[in-house]
Amino acid sequence: MPDMDAAVLRSTDPIAVEQVELTDPGQGEVLIKIEACGVCHSDLHWINNFRNDTLPAGIAKPSAAILGHEVAGIVEEIGPNVSAVAPGDHVIVGFRPNCGGNCHFCIRGTPWLCERPDNPDRAYTGGSPRLSQDGVPIMQGVGVGGFSEYTVMPERAAIKIRNDAPLETVCLIGCGVTTGIGAAINTAKIEAGSDVAVIGIGGVGLNVVQGARLAGARKIIAVDMMDNKLDMAADFGATHFVNASEGDPVEKVRDLANGYLDYAFEAIGLGATCRQAFDMVRDGGTAVVVGVVGDDITVPGRAFLREKKLIGSFYGSNSLHTDIPKLVDLYMDGRIKVDELISKRRPLSEINEAFEDMLAGEVARSVLHPSGL
Ligand code: CXF
Ligand code: ZN
């Protein structure tokens, strides 16, 4: 594999496009030419943890990392013993592959909790032997290293999709779409007619909104501090809107649901908004934590006597090989919105600007094009 361009993160400098080396695909691996990679909030979390030296305990900090995990591309080459995909196949990358039946969680049908992903070193925090520069290893952040021209992934992470789906758009099904719609449909299993609130209207929150719409929710209450985000939520199916900067959102949501909110989703990753979600729901109702949270969630224990539930959702509780092609079909049939999530497309060289847009709250999603626009 010749050297390729990639956006390299270091501790202090802005991210810069540099030449890096990628190994050829090994046993059970595939080389994917990346057509497009969405810029997700988790990438920003990861950058902050890297720069502030707050990577989880036990993880040796590498000198550099390549982020990006919301990827669609084309299989360029396969390693030995690969049978699921062939060169030329269009694929969406699953950033957390699963073993497919060799662990407790895959056997019981919950592969998103797989304990033995094909390459454990690809997990959120892991290092990667595949990327390097002048012999010095570079970490594949969030397991993919999508802000580059190519990636090498295990075949179980390369999810084959139909050839007529636009890769530059369906890349978002690699993370934000699947995480949000899956939280509503797979994790919470919203029943038709339910009343639902979604706190945090970013790329994931908008997808929880459209997941709630697909499930047939009655009221879908969008909660955010920015009116432009609430306007977007309307396009995705929200029926009611609460600007959280204008008074107590818990009280407002409860009023809108007449005191009986069935589900609240937290799509930011803050302890305070998790508490709001829990406080909003009715007795017996469910608060779903979708955001990447720390350990600072506190809820009143007495609420459990009234059967209130606080649950987590990881990667939309999705089974990559069935759910990703299904979401692609729903998009191609016009039943979910994906184009509307993309506020900006940029070449890889504008990666820093893409993160600035994210910080300013100006975009739902930016998409980077490593091989040019
Ligand atoms: C995240 C969840 C935490 C691990 C990295 C990926 N999901 C979406 O961005
Ligand atoms: Zn993501």
Side-chain angles (χ1 to χ4, degrees):
M1 171 73 204
D3 289 4
M4 63 165 182
D5 276 351
V8 180
L9 166 75
R10 295 177 196 288
S11 287
T12 48
D13 312 325
I15 300 172
V17 176
E18 299 175 9
Q19 289 271 293
V20 303
E21 291 131 42
L22 180 66
T23 57
D24 289 330
Q27 171 98 351
E29 292 184 330
V30 300
L31 172 69
I32 299 166
K33 181 169 195 297
I34 297 175
E35 291 297 320
C37 183
V39 183
C40 173
H41 258 97
S42 305
D43 294 311
L44 186 61
H45 275 292
W46 209 100
I47 290 172
N48 291 335
N49 285 340
F50 183 87
R51 291 212 158 124
N52 303 331
D53 282 336
T54 46
L55 287 173
I59 303 302
K61 184 177 170 179
S63 57
I66 296 172
L67 276 296
H69 60 280
E70 207 170 52
V71 167
I74 300 176
V75 175
E76 178 122 337
E77 204 181 305
I78 58 174
N81 294 327
V82 167
S83 55
V85 290
D89 282 351
H90 289 203
V91 294
I92 289 176
V93 169
F95 66 78
R96 184 66 161 74
N98 56 66
C99 72
N102 293 314
C103 80
H104 176 82
F105 293 106
C106 287
I107 290 167
R108 71 184 291 278
T110 53
W112 59 94
L113 299 177
C114 176
E115 285 183 311
R116 299 177 54 190
D118 300 22
N119 294 301
D121 58 307
R122 288 176 185 283
Y124 177 42
T125 50
S128 167
R130 291 164 194 80
L131 285 162
S132 61
Q133 202 178 43
D134 302 325
V136 179
I138 295 180
M139 187 185 265
Q140 217 167 353
V142 198
V144 181
F147 297 145
S148 42
E149 289 182 275
Y150 294 89
T151 184
V152 170
M153 295 296 292
E155 72 172 317
R156 289 193 59 76
I159 311 301
K160 186 174 170 171
I161 59 163
R162 52 197 273 183
N163 274 351
D164 59 341
L167 294 170
E168 67 273 18
T169 302
V170 297
C171 61
L172 300 199
I173 295 176
C175 181
V177 174
T178 308
T179 298
I181 294 182
I185 291 182
N186 301 330
T187 314
K189 300 187 175 64
I190 293 173
E191 306 87 357
S194 301
D195 290 336
V196 173
V198 183
I199 306 175
I201 305 297
V204 171
L206 284 168
N207 281 295
V208 179
V209 168
Q210 65 177 339
R213 179 180 50 75
L214 279 175
R218 178 175 54 178
K219 291 180 182 166
I220 304 175
I221 306 168
V223 183
D224 202 280
M225 311 251 279
M226 295 178 71
D227 284 330
N228 64 332
K229 302 249 172 124
L230 296 175
D231 290 344
M232 279 190 86
D235 295 338
F236 279 71
T239 58
H240 297 73
F241 309 91
V242 171
N243 186 320
S245 65
E246 297 166 359
D248 179 12
V250 175
E251 205 176 299
K252 289 192 174 170
V253 169
R254 289 182 68 100
D255 282 352
L256 286 168
N258 300 320
Y260 298 109
L261 184 78
D262 300 299
Y263 295 95
F265 293 83
E266 200 275 357
I268 303 172
L270 296 174
T273 36
C274 289
R275 173 64 186 266
Q276 289 173 354
F278 189 75
D279 287 348
M280 279 172 191
V281 295
R282 61 168 168 79
D283 289 352
T286 304
V288 186
V289 178
V290 189
V292 180
V293 278
D295 294 330
D296 57 345
I297 302 178
T298 314
V299 295
R302 65 187 175 281
F304 293 111
L305 297 174
R306 302 295 300 165
E307 297 200 348
K308 287 179 74 158
K309 300 177 219 19
L310 178 67
I311 65 172
S313 178
F314 178 71
Y315 209 170
S317 310
N318 98 91
S319 302
L320 295 173
H321 295 81
T322 49
D323 287 343
I324 285 186
K326 199 187 298 180
L327 288 167
V328 171
D329 281 345
L330 286 173
Y331 164 67
M332 295 298 282
D333 291 348
R335 295 174 62 193
I336 60 171
K337 292 179 188 287
V338 184
D339 300 81
E340 294 79 354
L341 290 165
I342 301 170
S343 325
K344 208 147 201 167
R345 296 185 180 279
R346 291 180 181 276
L348 195 57
S349 55
E350 293 178 10
I351 184 169
N352 295 294
E353 289 83 348
F355 281 111
E356 279 161 26
D357 289 346
M358 179 186 279
L359 281 169
E362 278 169 9
V363 291
R365 270 293 196 265
S366 294
V367 171
L368 299 180
H369 292 260
S371 312
L373 276 174

